[in-house]
Amino acid sequence: MKALLPLAVAAIAVAAPAAAQNFTACIASLKQAAVRSGVNAAIADRALGLTAPDEKVLRLSTVQPEYDIPIWDYMAYLVDEQRVRDGQAMMQRHAAVLQAAERRFGVDRHIIAAVWGVESDYGRDMGDNFLPHALATLACAGESRRNFWRAELMAALSLVQRGDIALEKLYGSWAGAFGQTQFMPSVYRRLAVDFDGDGHRDLIGSVADALGSTANYLRRAKWQPGAPWMIEAKVPAGYAGPQGRRHRIPLAAWSRYGVVRADGKPFGEGPPAGLLLPAGPAGPAFLVFANFDAIYAYNHAESYALAIAHLADRLAGGPPFRTPWPTDDPGLSRVERRQLQQLLIAKNYLPGQPDGKIGEQSRVAIRAAERALGWPETGRAGQKIYRALGGR
Ligand SMILES: [Ca+2]
């Protein structure tokens, strides 16, 4: 067994420079491909000056938080009172642009604003990764879909070449989405519109371009002007009838299965709807229409579409869900997350400053607090631990 050890060490020592060499060669080939596709060589050089993969991007590319967290945590974070208030203020400030986008593309202004609010907190948080480096990292050192990342990189550079976006401003999510409503570069190239008419499609610097482009995207995703997207419903206890976003039947036919509107009103007229039970029959139920699918097309997750649809309803003055999530430990808003971190810091479970983002450090601190309380360790930021530590 011992003899294997030096061999293994030698293998690692050889592998590391080989990987570095491969990476350098891959970056060089990306530059060549960009120039061949019409990107100025100086732009390609400035964009792709990286000598090693971005480790943070590689790390993030292996986790998909939307699939791991309970729906009530996801919703509590994305549709909190702060995002509703901020959204209503932003809708007032940009009323003319939203009205123009609604008129031209037929997409309800509350939906456009909700996408803006969820994607970038109304332009406050567009991501801080230099896009060419993030995409080149994924194209040259990522675990999968390297050709996809490569194509997105080429699309991003073509936008710089066209003068839509300055290279120095090309920052976004680790996964390539950028701007106020987080378009992928290829989608941007295809569907972004110059809605303020200055000759550039600038979804980072121009709210009008971002909101107009989002409306254009949803229209292309078959948004039906004037049609509803979702209504909260109630199902009988132990409901076992049809469900699913795509299993659409005439709205009024749902009463045959004992499904009613949560607000007690009659169904009335309406397009066919499918039934969503994101937390099973004991939780809130939703009748969703074809327009819900248009939102789903923006980001393929039902939880995402639910967050947009509900935030839009809240922005329009609608109430929170009438049926609570089936849990005794609901999720936390962003304000509560920050307060929880403050409480953990005050009790010496967590070092540093609160940032409102529940990362690995916060989860370790929550586990320690749970342990001290004699609770099972979950590391989850919920109402129970928040209150146990003195929250509100
Ligand atoms: Ca513009």
Side-chain angles (χ1 to χ4, degrees), residues 193-203 206 208-209:
V193 296
D194 171 23
F195 205 53
D196 62 13
D198 72 348
H200 304 285
R201 304 179 302 167
D202 180 1
L203 275 56
S206 165
D209 287 4

Side-chain angles (χ1 to χ4, degrees), residues 83-84 87-88 91 110 113-114 122 310-318:
R83 210 180 305 266
V84 174
Q88 287 171 337
M91 286 191 74
H110 302 93
Y122 310 103
H310 184 48
L311 179 57
D313 286 339
R314 295 294 313 275
L315 292 176

Side-chain angles (χ1 to χ4, degrees), residues 30 33 56 108 113 175 184 196 209 260 273 298 313 329 331:
L30 291 179
K56 182 180 136 209
D108 189 283
M184 288 300 287
D196 62 13
D209 287 4
V260 295
Y298 210 89
D313 286 339
D329 190 10

